[in-house]
Amino acid sequence: MKKILMVYATREGQTEKITYHISERLRKNGAETEVLNARDIDQHQQLELASFDLLVFGASMHAGGIEKELLHFLKKQAATIAPMPRCLFLVLLSAALEDETERNTALADASHKLRKQLPLTFDHIEMIGGALMYSKYPLPLRWMMKRIALKAGQGTDTKKDYEYTDWAQVDAFADTLLEKSSASVALDEA
Ligand SMILES: Cc1cc2nc3c(=O)[nH]c(=O)nc-3n(C[C@H](O)[C@H](O)[C@H](O)COP(=O)(O)O)c2cc1C
């Protein structure tokens, strides 16, 4: 059975939701998964990264930056992670822009910013649409996000939350992860 470690960092909860959805699909397809919030990772002294067939990292983007807790973990463990198969997914609203040209431009910009922050390269990086969680934003931020959403053609009713995650894309990404973990087992057994 393939063993997959998922480490995520989230601010408003969407990356966590996506992480558990992926984990569930991987488990249904026969993998063993362990899911950890990067915030709590220092409590897992026994964590043996090298015992996993694949490492999967997830984080969201805020003002062009990815969650500090995940960056901290990646930097701390870079030497152990470097020889291992690893993938990353980034959760952000730019991935959900309706206009294809605008979306591609915004994603190219996000990808550039992401790569500048990451201490390692990844075998695969997936950009996944996030959510507008007005219910979780304090007041000045709620107004700011409404203005940004209006420009982007996204939801502006601040009494509601809007989810833009493409779950079919998430499922396809989970299936790619399973293939990658199988490939790594096959290499080990060769
Ligand atoms: C203050 C703030 C800044 C954000 N900055 C960006 C950004 O730079 N690019 C982007 O595409 N999305 C941005 N977003 C959207 C978030 O990435 C999106 O809401 C995501 O679902 C958050 O995931 P999380 O709940 O796991 O933290 C921002 C959201 C907030 C509230």
Side-chain angles (χ1 to χ4, degrees):
M1 191 185 280
K2 295 108 199 170
K3 274 183 76 186
I4 302 174
L5 175 68
M6 301 191 70
V7 180
Y8 70 92
T10 186
R11 203 175 297 174
E12 285 102 28
Q14 194 66 13
T15 306
E16 181 173 59
K17 185 174 174 184
I18 293 169
T19 304
Y20 278 97
H21 182 98
I22 293 172
S23 168
E24 200 52 44
R25 188 167 175 99
L26 291 171
R27 282 171 173 264
K28 274 193 193 134
N29 287 310
E32 186 185 326
T33 61
E34 183 164 350
V35 178
L36 294 175
N37 187 329
R39 195 187 51 202
D40 309 325
I41 214 138
D42 287 338
Q43 293 160 22
H44 295 267
Q45 307 292 349
Q46 312 297 331
L47 189 63
E48 277 250 17
L49 293 182
S51 70
F52 292 90
D53 299 302
L54 179 70
L55 307 178
V56 181
F57 301 97
S60 53
M61 179 164 268
H62 287 83
I66 75 161
E67 304 299 311
K68 300 238 170 349
E69 308 93 285
L70 185 68
L71 281 181
H72 172 74
F73 177 72
L74 292 175
K75 281 179 189 154
K76 199 170 154 188
Q77 299 290 342
T80 314
I81 296 171
M84 298 188 64
R86 56 191 179 277
C87 298
L88 182 138
F89 65 94
L90 184 69
V91 178
L92 69 176
L93 281 172
S94 300
L97 286 170
E98 279 288 326
D99 183 274
E100 196 182 345
T101 312
E102 274 180 37
R103 187 172 65 245
N104 288 341
T105 306
L107 287 183
D109 179 57
S111 172
H112 177 71
K113 286 177 176 150
L114 174 69
R115 283 166 213 271
K116 270 177 41 183
Q117 293 165 67
L118 291 172
L120 291 151
T121 57
F122 287 82
D123 305 325
H124 181 106
I125 295 182
E126 187 82 9
M127 304 282 207
I128 298 174
L132 262 173
M133 305 294 277
Y134 288 116
S135 63
K136 298 201 176 162
Y137 306 146
L139 243 201
L141 180 59
R142 208 178 304 163
W143 295 332
M144 196 185 96
M145 292 306 289
K146 182 179 172 168
R147 277 212 310 276
I148 293 171
L150 187 66
K151 269 199 196 161
Q154 292 169 335
T156 55
D157 181 353
T158 58
K159 290 185 206 72
K160 292 195 325 201
D161 291 334
Y162 297 84
E163 186 178 79
Y164 295 101
T165 304
D166 176 348
W167 293 104
Q169 178 197 359
V170 175
D171 285 346
F173 174 55
D175 296 346
T176 302
L177 294 174
L178 202 61
E179 280 168 26
K180 288 197 183 291
S181 69
S182 305
S184 93
V185 169
L187 279 177
D188 289 348
E189 285 167 357

